[in-house]
Amino acid sequence: MEESDIVKDIEKKTRLTSLKKYMWGPNILNLTLIIMVSQQQFLGRLSLLSTVLLLISIALNGITLIFFSKEIRYEENQQGIHKPFNKLTIRLLIFIIIFFGAITIGYFIR
């Protein structure tokens, strides 16, 4: 029973579902960190070191998101799920825009 195609298919679907759940944590954390960096005028000023560390954390979370996105895309390809456009590229562009926007806003608020 362990080697059957049905069991393998269920395991692949379970892995894909788990990977999609893991995407929420880094996304929410990045959003929170971006708000902290960009809204220093309202939330209180951070030191330069704190700001740099937050920006590094955002970048590292971005790398985590890219990893999970690639794993999800791989699993979808293995299951024959084809998307009409590349969501990873769109998410990456949105992340880059928000990331550099936060840096710019945080810099000019100081």
Side-chain angles (χ1 to χ4, degrees), residues 12 34 38 56-57 63 70 75 79 82 99 105 107:
K12 287 180 182 179
I34 288 171
S38 64
I56 290 171
S57 298
I63 292 169
K70 286 184 177 184
E75 288 295 325
Q79 294 181 22
H82 298 288
F99 181 71
I105 291 170
Y107 177 76

Side-chain angles (χ1 to χ4, degrees), residues 23 69 72 86-96:
M23 292 286 288
S69 294
I72 288 170
N86 189 348
K87 285 186 176 181
L88 175 61
T89 305
I90 292 172
R91 287 179 183 160
L92 185 61
L93 288 174
I94 291 171
F95 169 75
I96 290 171

